[in-house]
Structures are given as structure tokens and as C-alpha cells.
Amino acid sequence: MPLEIVTIPCLSDNYAFLAHDSGNGQTALIDAPEAAPILAALEDRGWTLSHVLLTHHHWDHVEGLAEILTQHPARVIGAAADAHRLPPLDQQVAEGDSFEVGGEPVEVLDVSGHTVGHVAFYLPQSAVVFTADSLMALGCGRLFEGSPAQMWASLSKLAALPDDTLVCSGHEYTQSNAKFAITVDPENTALKQRIADIDRARAAGEATVPSILALEKATNPFLRATDPAIQAHLGMVNADPAAVFAEIRGRKDKF
Ligand code: ZN
Ligand code: FE
């Protein structure tokens, strides 16, 4: 049985997630932007947290943790590389490590770029990856600390996961990401279709996160630096994909 995934809107545009095993009752929280909506989501379902997985140190991903732990004294897991700037960790992890939630393996991927030390959590049996501010729906996190080459390597790692992987990212930025995406990939029919779907969802007040990796690979310009049409549009045919990614990221920063 795959874990049950619950998406929890927090703050103005953040998402936290619960991953629940109905078999043994364990529940992991992925990121803790704000206590109240997370505590309410747990209470509604009668769930108790067993684990908290932290993707990176930014305040909008950890701010609610202390209050949540007062009611749910769960095991807090985060990157060893960021232990000095994350809340206190019960377990420090790094790329290649794996641990269990609900009897299911969780694999740690280093996805540095937005920050250096940002990790993603991949659950192959449930086909879900928690990417926070690395790979985002139709976008990727701004490069506050890492280099374009580092983020391109991180995104390439995520793109290599199975196509049906559910991508649980950290923010509802999709509609503004779409406005940029179409400027670098204007002929992409899958992108045009996705933008129509996003506009419809947002008009109805629906979340556009999580998304499916296959759709990200078909439409997210930050995963498409090897795409001939995008390279041609940027005047970078056969350029190094990391350089094409850097150009796309640079344009987005000025957009
Ligand atoms: Zn962040
Ligand atoms: Fe964030």
C-alpha cells in the first residue's frame, strides 16, 4: 500500500505534506512552515507524527516546528550539512542515506542549488519525492547559495526518477512560473495545455502542487535545457546544458 499523501497549505503560498502509513499508523511531516494548519490536519485525521523531514533551513520551511513538536514529539531528520542552521536534529542524513517511514524506504538526495545542503526525500515504493524549493511545479528555486551547474545537476538527478513520480514541492508559484515558461518555450503544446489547466485550477482556488514528473519533464523549462527547441529559441544550439540552464535561470531572475 502506498503511503497516503496530504498537502497542507501554510503561510501565504507554502506547502507542507503528510505521508501516512495506514498499516502501522506512522506519519511523517515534510517541512514545517506553520504550526496551526499542520496541527489541524493531523487532528482532523486522528494522526500522530512519528517523523519530521526537513528539506532546508529557510524560515518558511521550519518556523512551525517547535510548536508542532510540543504536541507531536516526532523524530526530526535533516541534512548533516545543514545541522548548524537547522532546528535540532535527531538524525542527520546525506546523499545516499536511507531510512524508513511506515516500513517504507526513504532515500536522501542532495539537491543543492537554492541552498547548499538542500535535500529531497524520495520514496520509491510510493513513487513520491519531496523537493521543496529545488524542483518546483513549472519552476525551480532561486539560486541563493548554489551555482547554476550545481542546480542543473540536482534537477537532472530528480529528472532521472521514474516518470510517474509525484513531485511534492514547496510553494504555489505555478501560475507565475507559467508566465515565464512560455517566454522561453513558446511552441510547446504540452506547456500551453498545462497553462490552461493551471489557470482553470487557480480560478477555482485549487492547488497546482503536487505534480507528476513526466509533466514537469515535458513542460518545466528548468528541466528542458537539453531540448532543441528551447536551445534554438535561446540561440544556444548544442550548448552545454548547464549553460542553457544558467541562461534560463538568469532570465527568470530578471522576469
Ligand atoms: Zn527556501
Ligand atoms: Fe521556500
Side-chain angles (χ1 to χ4, degrees):
M1 272 281 282
L3 301 187
E4 181 180 347
I5 307 299
V6 177
T7 305
I8 307 173
C10 295
L11 303 172
S12 59
D13 56 32
N14 276 77
Y15 289 116
F17 300 91
L18 299 175
H20 175 75
D21 184 323
S22 56
N24 69 4
Q26 288 193 344
T27 305
L29 167 68
I30 296 85
D31 283 346
E34 185 184 13
I38 292 167
L39 292 171
L42 288 162
E43 190 171 354
D44 285 350
R45 292 164 180 82
W47 295 351
T48 303
L49 285 184
S50 52
H51 302 76
V52 180
L53 317 184
L54 299 176
T55 60
H56 68 298
H57 74 285
H58 283 160
W59 73 272
D60 63 310
H61 297 257
V62 301
E63 184 85 342
L65 182 64
E67 187 181 341
I68 291 165
L69 289 176
T70 64
Q71 295 186 40
H72 296 266
R75 181 177 181 80
V76 181
I77 301 172
D82 268 348
H84 63 287
R85 57 183 182 176
L86 283 168
L89 300 175
D90 299 305
Q91 185 176 347
Q92 300 185 13
V93 295
E95 165 91 17
D97 286 351
S98 125
F99 56 93
E100 285 199 352
V101 167
E104 166 163 346
V106 178
E107 298 175 5
V108 179
L109 303 173
D110 181 328
V111 291
S112 289
H114 175 67
T115 63
V116 173
H118 194 311
V119 289
F121 298 100
Y122 174 49
L123 287 72
Q125 288 179 12
S126 288
V128 55
V129 66
F130 297 96
T131 59
D133 298 355
S134 58
L135 174 60
M136 306 177 89
L138 259 189
C140 76
R142 192 176 278 264
L143 302 182
F144 287 116
E145 297 179 3
S147 66
Q150 216 166 8
M151 184 60 118
W152 174 248
S154 297
L155 295 179
S156 300
K157 208 182 290 182
L158 294 166
L161 299 177
D163 272 354
D164 63 350
T165 304
L166 189 69
V167 179
C168 294
S169 54
H171 290 270
E172 183 61 58
Y173 291 164
T174 320
Q175 200 165 31
S176 66
N177 287 342
K179 293 188 172 70
F180 169 74
I182 198 69
T183 68
V184 289
D185 200 8
E187 306 303 328
N188 184 336
T189 50
L191 175 59
K192 289 179 194 169
Q193 178 59 52
R194 186 176 184 188
I195 292 172
D197 292 344
I198 290 163
D199 289 344
R200 201 174 309 119
R202 294 309 291 157
E206 293 164 10
T208 62
V209 172
S211 57
I212 298 292
L213 185 59
L215 183 61
E216 296 302 335
K217 286 164 68 175
T219 58
N220 185 329
F222 298 100
L223 293 182
R224 296 171 53 74
T226 58
D227 181 72
I230 289 189
Q231 291 190 351
H233 184 77
L234 298 175
M236 297 181 78
V237 173
N238 293 326
D240 173 10
V244 178
F245 169 80
E247 173 65 23
I248 297 169
R249 188 60 251 181
R251 288 183 182 215
K252 175 70 161 62
D253 291 343
K254 289 184 236 109
F255 186 69

